[in-house]
Amino acid sequence: MTTERTPSTKEQRMHPRWTLKSTVSVFEHGSKEYLGLLVDCSETGIMISSYEPLPPGTTFELDLVDIPPNIDGRRTGNCVAEVVWSDKLTPSLYGNGCTISGATDMLKTMMKSYSHS
């Protein structure tokens, strides 16, 4: 079951969204299950693209992993995300809007780097 976004969802955002120019993979922390890719983010929310809809109201502890340019190795940030909405983006992909809390310092650093790309 998916929940349709209202046209005013964007206007209700308190923080601007940053569109990513690099690939950030999203995993469920406990199971290490791959959930999808980070599409965009703000200080208080993220959008994840996935092959299956994430049920609104579901809470996940997430690991977000990227491989930034000009840095050897990868970065992993953590947060708790609650799915607010899920919409079909294409015939095979869903967009899932989530609020986030408990972002680690590394995730905050990662997100700041996306806003300056």
Side-chain angles (χ1 to χ4, degrees):
M1 179 175 133
T2 60
T3 301
E4 295 295 321
R5 285 187 291 174
T6 61
S8 61
T9 301
K10 186 174 183 180
E11 289 78 29
Q12 293 174 2
R13 291 192 179 127
M14 297 181 68
H15 302 281
R17 292 266 172 158
W18 304 305
T19 302
L20 277 61
K21 299 197 173 37
S22 60
T23 301
V24 181
S25 299
V26 181
F27 300 88
E28 199 280 316
H29 179 75
S31 68
K32 304 298 183 200
E33 177 185 352
Y34 176 76
L35 295 177
L37 293 174
L38 191 62
V39 175
D40 64 25
C41 61
S42 74
E43 290 179 27
T44 58
I46 59 176
M47 180 174 158
I48 303 167
S49 66
S50 61
Y51 293 115
E52 298 292 329
L54 302 176
T58 304
T59 300
F60 294 97
E61 186 174 348
L62 301 179
D63 291 335
L64 290 86
V65 180
D66 73 2
I67 301 174
N70 307 320
I71 296 177
D72 290 332
R74 63 182 184 182
R75 302 184 296 186
T76 301
N78 310 89
C79 68
V80 174
E82 181 180 351
V83 182
V84 177
W85 56 263
S86 183
D87 259 348
K88 197 168 227 183
L89 297 176
T90 69
S92 61
L93 280 179
Y94 290 85
N96 305 278
C98 307
T99 57
I100 61 170
S101 60
T104 60
D105 287 343
M106 176 55 78
L107 182 59
K108 291 175 186 175
T109 298
M110 291 164 61
M111 292 171 95
K112 281 181 187 164
S113 74
Y114 307 146
S115 70
H116 296 35
S117 297

